[in-house]
């Protein structure tokens, strides 16, 4: 049946069909490539044009695309080829990584032919519809949105044409396929389809064509990357820092030990902890930090900047501890709150030891100004204030409620 | 003859309604528009070129393609706006549907009667409006509706490439029975819009369904 029909297909019809198919492939290439340039396309209607455009559709011709497409098609007709014609769209990052996003594929299925369609004009019109479908579909695949956001600093879109079976494995796992459309012709069904990537995570080892190059390169070896190195180098410090933060001023275990003479010594818990850690005596004698000869030795040698701090703190601490009582405890709690995490207080370019550090001293003095005699006997101000405030708030409760409800009323019409 | 019928259902925010319907109808019309026919004699003609334009939606993550015809775009916009205004009005229950119907005219046997309109393809979009509370939900809805419309646009192209019935290319004297020649730059198949809004009280009662059924039977 098929053979009979093919014989009935006139030479002219066959020639027309060949020509239509070739131009369909060329125009489809233009549509696909231009849709990935990153710009909106707008071509005018030409109601009074002299010569008709192919498929009565105004598709711009980019010369370089035509040249590339013709190279691949190479004046050989799509119909005589066994292999499909593919256009591959890929993304190339500024770093040079490639990721294939989609493969558009035009193929002829000779086994499915339609002997009834002999009119070449009908085929031509259907090709026009197929091209329109292609224009519509190119705007809705994921690569379109990516192409609109491309730039030389981030990534650019690239295209490649080839005559072969489409390389679907390049599209990664979970790739999807769209059948744009097909045209039944006397010599077979012409089919246009697109397979596209759905997982957009770029992974150099996955997408690189030549794995050996990537394997040689240590650039992507996470163990050797500078970022990782930096972290591994600072591992000790971060762990010690986190330890210090964990055993903070509010930790119950430590609180008891530091309540007495060093309460007003800001950050004293931090220093104490560091010392204890270094000394492997976390729980043994933190209480004796300020006075024990062991800690003196450590402050003098290992952590030189702590020695002046300790002296200052001790002085202030004595003053306060004798005079203050409960109130002072609050002061110290506030000063060692979460707002500050100062571990080392090592000023840049400071001399390592011996001399007192002016900046640190100044900071301590400023923060730990001694309480003036006048205010010692006053009742705690905060308590009375709080009570008063609570009372006023309670009395004004209705007013607050009305304000809130008025806000609700105002916002609800806007939502609609 | 029965008309082919396609129905799309969408749930979206009121402000997305116009763009959602327009994107689908323009995709359909892009496929159903030819260039202007320039007849050289009664039966032979040449066809002019149709241009196309990319349109980015404001409230949906979507770009669609339409014919580069301002007059056609105006017509579609006007009809869709009328529908969406009613749909979004306070009297509406937030449910409604709009159809794009392609038809051809058949001259009446009696001269004094209007030509009969025979639909051959109907595209219906049913909308249900929702209200969203915050920007996060809006962003999700924006993407979700974009994905739904993508599926529907792909489906439209699939339908367009089936070798289904299309009216025959007419001779010069009959061109107005098949095509709408009122546009200066494009020549779509004859089309019209119908829409209906479901009122808050009526719902879908048996009576209204029957009325609709009978009405449609007479139309077809």
């Amino acid at each position: 049946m098929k053979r009979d029909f093919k014989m009935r297909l006139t030479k002219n019809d066959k020639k027309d069909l060949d020509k239509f198919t070739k131009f369909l492939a060329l125009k489809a290439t233009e549509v696909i490539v231009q849709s990935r340039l990153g710009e909106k396309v707008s071509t005018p209607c030409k109601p009074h044009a002299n010569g008709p455009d192919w498929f009565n559709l105004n598709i711009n011709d980019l010369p370089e695309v035509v040249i590339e497409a013709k190279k691949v098609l190479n004046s050989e007709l799509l119909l005589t080829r066994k292999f499909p014609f593919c256009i591959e769209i890929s993304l190339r990052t500024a770093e040079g990584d490639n990721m294939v996003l989609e493969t558009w594929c035009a193929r002829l299925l000779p086994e499915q032919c339609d002997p009834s369609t002999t009119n070449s004009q009908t085929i031509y019109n259907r090709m026009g519809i197929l091209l329109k479908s292609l224009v519509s579909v190119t705007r809705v695949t994921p690569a379109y949105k990516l192409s609109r956001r491309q730039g030389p600093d981030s990534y650019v879109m690239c295209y490649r044409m080839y005559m072969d079976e489409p390389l679907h494995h390049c599209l990664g796992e979970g790739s999807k396929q769209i059948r744009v459309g097909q045209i039944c012709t006397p010599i077979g069904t012409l089919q246009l389809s697109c397979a596209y990537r759905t997982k957009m995570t770029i992974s150099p080892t996955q997408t690189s064509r030549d794995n050996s190059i990537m394997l040689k390169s240590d650039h992507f070896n996470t163990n050797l990357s500078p970022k990782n190195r930096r972290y591994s180098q600072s591992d000790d410090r971060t762990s010690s820092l986190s330890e210090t933060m964990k055993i903070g001023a509010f930790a119950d275990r430590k609180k008891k030990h530091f309540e007495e003479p060093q309460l007003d010594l800001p950050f004293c818990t931090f220093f104490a902890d560091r010392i204890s850690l270094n000394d492997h005596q976390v729980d043994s004698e933190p209480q004796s930090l300020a006075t024990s000869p062991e800690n003196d030795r450590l402050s003098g040698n290992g952590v030189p900047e702590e020695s002046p701090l300790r002296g200052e703190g001790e002085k202030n601490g004595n003053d306060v501890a004798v005079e203050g009582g409960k109130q002072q405890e609050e002061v110290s709690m506030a000063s060692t709150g979460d707002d500050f995490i100062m571990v080392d207080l090592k000023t840049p370019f400071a001399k390592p030891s011996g001399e007192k550090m002016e900046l640190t001293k100044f900071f301590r003095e400023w923060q730990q100004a001694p309480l003036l005699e006048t205010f010692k006997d006053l009742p705690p101000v905060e308590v009375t204030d709080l009570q008063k405030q609570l009372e006023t708030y309670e009395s004004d409760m209705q007013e607050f409620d009305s304000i809130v409800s008025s806000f609700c009323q105002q916002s609800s019409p806007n939502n609609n | 003859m029965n008309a082919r019928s396609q129905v799309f259902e969408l749930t979206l925010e009121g402000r997305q309604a116009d763009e959602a319907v327009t994107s689908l109808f323009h995709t359909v019309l892009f496929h159903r528009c030819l260039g202007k026919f320039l007849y050289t004699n009664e039966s032979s003609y040449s066809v002019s070129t149709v241009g196309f334009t990319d349109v980015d939606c404001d409230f949906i993550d979507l770009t669609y393609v339409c014919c580069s015809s301002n007059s056609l775009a105006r017509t579609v916009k006007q009809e869709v706006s009328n529908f969406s205004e009613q749909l979004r009005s306070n009297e509406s229950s937030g449910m409604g549907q709009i159809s794009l119907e392609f038809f051809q005219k058949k001259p009446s046997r009696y001269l004094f009667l209007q030509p009969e309109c025979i639909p051959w393809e109907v595209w219906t979009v049913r909308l249900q409006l929702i209200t969203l509370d915050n920007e996060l939900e809006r962003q999700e809805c924006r993407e979700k509706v974009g994905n739904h419309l993508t599926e529907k646009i792909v489906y439209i192209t699939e339908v367009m490439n089936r070798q289904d019935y299309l009216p025959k290319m007419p001779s010069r004297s009959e061109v107005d029975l098949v095509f709408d020649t009122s546009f200066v730059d494009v020549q779509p198949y004859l089309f019209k819009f119908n829409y209906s809004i479901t009122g808050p009280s009526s719902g879908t009662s048996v009576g209204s369904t029957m009325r609709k059924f009978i009405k449609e039977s007479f139309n077809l």
Side-chain angles (χ1 to χ4, degrees):
Chain A
M1 183 73 190
K2 192 171 85 182
R3 193 165 292 170
D4 284 346
F5 180 76
K6 270 189 177 171
M7 284 170 72
R8 267 195 278 144
L9 193 70
T10 63
K11 245 186 179 177
N12 273 343
D13 285 347
K14 178 79 169 64
K15 205 176 153 189
D16 278 350
L17 210 53
D18 283 354
K19 201 162 78 176
F20 293 168
T21 316
K22 187 188 166 191
F23 274 96
L24 178 71
L26 281 175
K27 287 291 175 184
T29 311
E30 290 284 357
V31 168
I32 293 164
V33 173
Q34 287 177 36
S35 70
R36 300 298 179 251
L37 293 178
E39 290 159 2
K40 278 164 81 175
V41 175
S42 182
T43 58
C45 291
K46 293 195 270 186
H48 308 294
N50 295 328
D53 287 285
W54 270 100
F55 308 107
N56 309 112
L57 200 56
N58 192 354
I59 300 168
N60 291 329
D61 281 327
L62 295 180
E64 65 268 24
V65 178
V66 175
I67 292 166
E68 285 295 317
K70 278 186 175 167
K71 259 189 221 165
V72 176
L73 293 166
N74 196 20
S75 75
E76 296 274 347
L77 302 174
L78 189 62
L79 302 179
T80 58
R81 291 289 195 123
K82 287 179 183 171
F83 295 116
F85 173 56
C86 294
I87 301 151
E88 184 185 275
I89 301 291
S90 59
L91 172 153
R92 189 190 292 156
T93 63
E95 289 82 30
D97 295 325
N98 275 306
M99 179 163 73
V100 180
L101 296 176
E102 55 189 14
T103 309
W104 299 85
C105 175
R107 70 166 78 223
L108 186 80
L109 305 166
E111 61 276 8
Q112 298 172 20
C113 59
D114 179 16
S116 62
T117 318
T118 49
N119 187 351
S120 57
Q121 186 60 43
T122 310
I123 294 173
Y124 181 84
N125 289 340
R126 283 185 182 155
M127 283 180 171
I129 291 182
L130 182 60
L131 267 181
K132 285 176 177 173
S133 293
L134 182 67
V135 173
S136 294
V137 172
T138 49
R139 271 64 176 174
V140 296
T141 60
Y144 180 77
K145 281 176 194 159
L146 283 173
S147 75
R148 290 288 296 273
R149 292 196 291 260
Q150 67 185 312
D153 298 333
S154 51
Y155 59 81
V156 289
M157 306 297 261
C158 306
Y159 69 94
R160 184 170 79 96
M161 289 172 239
Y162 56 87
M163 276 281 203
D164 206 342
E165 285 300 324
L167 305 168
H168 288 327
H169 66 271
C170 295
L171 299 169
E173 285 176 22
S175 65
K176 286 188 179 170
Q177 192 141 8
I178 295 176
R179 193 154 45 145
V180 182
Q182 66 283 320
I183 300 163
C184 288
T185 72
I187 53 163
T189 297
L190 191 69
Q191 198 183 68
L192 198 55
S193 62
C194 169
Y196 63 93
R197 173 184 287 274
T198 53
K199 290 180 181 169
M200 294 297 171
T201 320
I202 196 160
S203 140
T205 47
Q206 193 187 348
T207 54
S208 65
R209 297 235 175 82
D210 191 353
N211 279 335
S212 59
I213 293 172
M214 286 305 173
L215 286 172
K216 277 180 196 168
S217 165
D218 285 330
H219 183 71
F220 296 103
N221 186 342
T222 49
N223 293 328
L224 296 173
S225 75
K227 189 183 172 191
N228 204 291
R229 266 192 195 169
R230 195 171 67 230
Y231 282 134
S232 65
Q233 277 177 350
S234 62
D235 258 1
D236 293 339
R237 179 167 292 191
T238 48
S239 68
S240 68
L241 175 66
S242 64
E243 281 294 317
T244 326
M245 286 162 71
K246 271 181 202 164
I247 314 169
F250 300 105
D252 287 335
R253 186 165 56 86
K254 298 280 174 190
K255 201 176 171 182
K256 286 174 189 169
H257 301 301
F258 291 107
E259 259 172 4
E260 290 161 16
Q262 290 84 22
L263 264 177
D264 48 332
L265 223 181
F267 311 112
C268 66
T269 50
F270 302 150
F271 303 129
D273 197 63
R274 279 181 68 105
I275 291 160
S276 307
L277 280 172
N278 292 340
D279 211 18
H280 303 287
Q281 291 178 351
V282 179
D283 291 321
S284 59
E285 290 183 318
Q287 189 181 0
S288 59
L289 168 71
T291 52
S292 79
E294 177 74 13
N295 285 324
D296 277 338
R297 185 178 62 76
L298 276 168
S299 347
N301 302 331
V303 196
E305 67 275 20
E306 285 181 9
S307 53
L309 280 181
R310 194 175 59 82
E312 284 292 322
E314 205 167 11
K315 193 181 79 188
N316 282 341
N318 285 338
D319 289 349
V320 173
V322 175
E323 296 161 2
K326 198 180 173 184
Q327 209 178 338
Q328 307 315 318
E329 191 180 325
E330 285 173 13
V331 172
S332 97
M333 293 291 269
S335 65
T336 55
D338 282 345
D339 293 339
F340 295 102
I341 303 167
M342 277 179 82
V343 181
D344 269 346
L345 281 181
K346 192 186 278 181
T347 46
F349 312 113
K351 290 182 182 174
S353 63
E355 288 188 67
K356 292 191 175 183
M357 289 181 198
E358 286 179 6
L359 179 65
T360 322
K361 194 182 167 190
F362 168 73
F363 181 67
R364 295 294 165 217
E365 279 176 355
W366 165 76
Q367 199 171 37
Q368 289 293 315
L371 217 64
L372 289 173
E373 296 270 332
T374 329
F375 298 103
K376 277 175 198 161
D377 297 329
L378 284 175
V381 182
E382 291 85 355
V383 179
T384 52
D385 263 1
L386 264 179
Q387 279 175 347
K388 270 187 185 174
Q389 281 180 340
L390 278 172
E391 278 169 14
T392 50
Y393 290 154
E394 272 176 5
S395 65
D396 292 335
M397 192 116 74
Q398 281 192 337
E399 196 183 337
F400 294 151
D401 281 345
S402 66
I403 289 169
V404 171
S405 61
S406 72
F407 284 152
C408 291
Q409 281 172 353
Q410 278 175 4
S411 60
S412 56
N414 291 339
N415 284 339
N416 294 329
Chain B
M1 186 186 70
N2 289 322
R4 292 191 295 271
S5 180
Q6 311 290 343
V7 181
F8 298 127
E9 292 185 352
L10 284 168
T11 305
L12 37 69
E13 260 196 306
R15 58 181 184 163
Q16 295 173 315
D18 284 68
E19 285 181 335
V21 176
T22 312
S23 66
L24 294 176
F25 282 175
H26 266 305
T27 304
V28 171
L29 280 166
F30 178 48
H31 285 82
R32 292 284 177 244
C33 270
L34 305 182
K36 294 289 279 184
F37 281 20
L38 308 165
Y39 283 92
T40 47
N41 57 44
E42 178 61 23
S43 59
S44 67
Y45 57 89
S46 65
V47 183
S48 75
T49 300
V50 175
F52 56 89
T53 303
D54 290 339
V55 182
D56 290 338
C57 294
D58 290 328
F59 302 111
I60 307 170
D61 281 345
L62 183 79
T63 302
Y64 63 90
V65 180
C66 68
C67 295
S68 302
S69 166
N70 288 333
S71 47
L72 180 70
R74 256 199 313 276
T75 307
V76 174
K77 192 180 178 182
Q78 185 60 54
E79 294 283 347
V80 175
S81 295
N82 291 345
F83 163 68
S84 95
E85 266 172 34
Q86 282 197 29
L87 182 71
R88 297 170 70 180
S89 71
N90 292 332
E91 290 81 43
S92 153
S93 66
M95 282 177 73
Q97 66 174 42
I98 181 165
S99 296
L100 167 60
E101 182 181 297
F102 291 98
F103 63 95
Q104 63 187 113
K105 288 179 185 167
K106 198 177 168 189
S108 173
R109 268 174 278 178
Y110 308 102
L111 286 173
F112 54 87
L113 285 179
Q114 289 289 316
E116 192 184 354
C117 293
I118 306 164
W120 51 270
E121 190 174 68
V122 185
W123 300 86
T124 305
V125 182
R126 277 188 197 141
L127 295 186
Q128 176 159 19
L129 298 192
I130 48 167
T131 312
L132 299 176
D133 296 330
N134 55 54
E135 275 309 310
L136 184 70
E137 285 180 3
R138 278 195 193 101
Q139 187 55 38
E140 281 172 5
C141 187
R142 192 186 159 89
E143 287 171 25
K144 198 181 73 187
V145 173
N147 290 337
H148 286 168
L149 288 172
T150 294
E151 285 170 20
K152 288 166 190 7
I153 286 172
V154 171
Y155 179 72
I156 290 171
T157 62
E158 203 182 305
V159 172
M160 291 297 177
N161 285 279
R162 289 178 192 161
Q163 295 182 10
D164 291 326
Y165 170 82
L166 280 177
K168 275 184 186 168
M169 289 301 149
S171 57
R172 182 189 282 185
S173 56
E174 292 176 338
V175 68
D176 287 319
L177 299 178
V178 175
F179 290 105
D180 187 335
T181 52
S182 62
F183 299 99
V184 286
D185 33 22
V186 287
Q187 188 172 291
Y189 285 97
L190 282 168
F191 68 97
K192 63 180 175 188
F193 295 95
N194 297 310
Y195 60 82
S196 60
I197 309 292
T198 314
S201 55
S202 67
T204 46
S205 66
V206 180
S208 69
T209 313
M210 277 310 287
R211 254 202 315 278
K212 201 176 144 201
F213 178 72
I214 292 164
K215 211 171 143 188
E216 280 178 3
S217 311
F218 278 114
N219 271 343
L220 297 180

